[in-house]
Amino acid sequence: MIVRNIIRGKPIQQILTVKSTDSVKSATEMLAKHRIGAVIVSDDGASVDGILSERDIVRALGTVGPSCLDQRVGDLMTLAVIGCHPEDSAISVMEQMTDGRFRHMPVIEANRMIGVISIGDVVKARIMEIQEENSALTGMIANTW
């Protein structure tokens, strides 16, 4: 399975972003409202300036305390964001996420963000792919008897 198929299968196609000047509190409210673990930081809505994840917020809460919610997203976001291409395989993306120990990845095509996938999206796609392969093999075995 490729990334393009994963993003097509997502129930919500909208790409949620925040600006680097937004407050961490407003970004946290967005995460809670949409039940997501990270949000892309993009001042123009198309390019990736960073990513703000639950982990970033928890780290700041642990070191700075609740006042971190009054900071700007740009103060807490992760700048080094690894993206993927729509034609990348689910397996290669899963390996990148596992090796890099991150759970969200923007999908970039022609220098524009066209989607965001999570490790959950990739695992779900892989499970479906394995189930389809299993069904096909079971059918082939049944037809040889």
Side-chain angles (χ1 to χ4, degrees):
M1 175 155 314
I2 61 172
V3 170
R4 186 178 308 281
N5 294 341
I6 295 171
I7 58 176
R8 279 187 188 143
K10 290 182 67 144
I12 299 173
Q13 296 294 315
Q14 179 186 11
I15 302 171
L16 300 173
T17 63
V18 295
K19 295 184 182 311
S20 62
T21 55
D22 290 347
S23 73
V24 172
K25 181 179 184 202
S26 68
T28 303
E29 290 166 351
M30 178 186 284
L31 294 175
K33 177 182 177 186
H34 295 282
R35 300 178 55 118
I36 55 176
V39 64
I40 300 296
V41 182
S42 176
D43 289 332
D44 66 7
S47 60
V48 178
D49 300 320
I51 190 167
L52 182 71
S53 70
E54 295 166 323
R55 288 179 182 176
D56 296 322
I57 297 166
V58 169
R59 277 190 207 105
L61 281 168
T63 57
V64 177
S67 67
C68 73
L69 296 174
D70 298 325
Q71 289 183 278
R72 296 176 324 120
V73 166
D75 297 332
L76 299 187
M77 71 182 185
T78 299
L79 290 170
V81 180
I82 297 172
C84 64
H85 188 270
E87 304 309 316
D88 288 345
S89 71
I91 292 172
S92 70
V93 168
M94 191 182 309
E95 288 172 352
Q96 280 186 293
M97 289 179 162
T98 301
D99 292 345
R101 300 187 53 79
F102 57 90
R103 298 177 296 188
H104 301 87
M105 183 180 270
V107 182
I108 310 293
E109 184 173 50
N111 295 323
R112 293 190 56 83
M113 181 173 44
I114 64 165
V116 178
I117 58 173
S118 70
I119 190 70
D121 297 329
V122 178
V123 169
K124 180 180 175 184
R126 255 323 263 148
I127 289 171
M128 288 174 42
E129 189 174 44
I130 291 168
Q131 288 173 336
E132 289 171 5
E133 289 171 1
N134 186 32
S135 292
L137 289 172
T138 301
M140 287 171 43
I141 292 169
N143 289 332
T144 60
W145 293 102

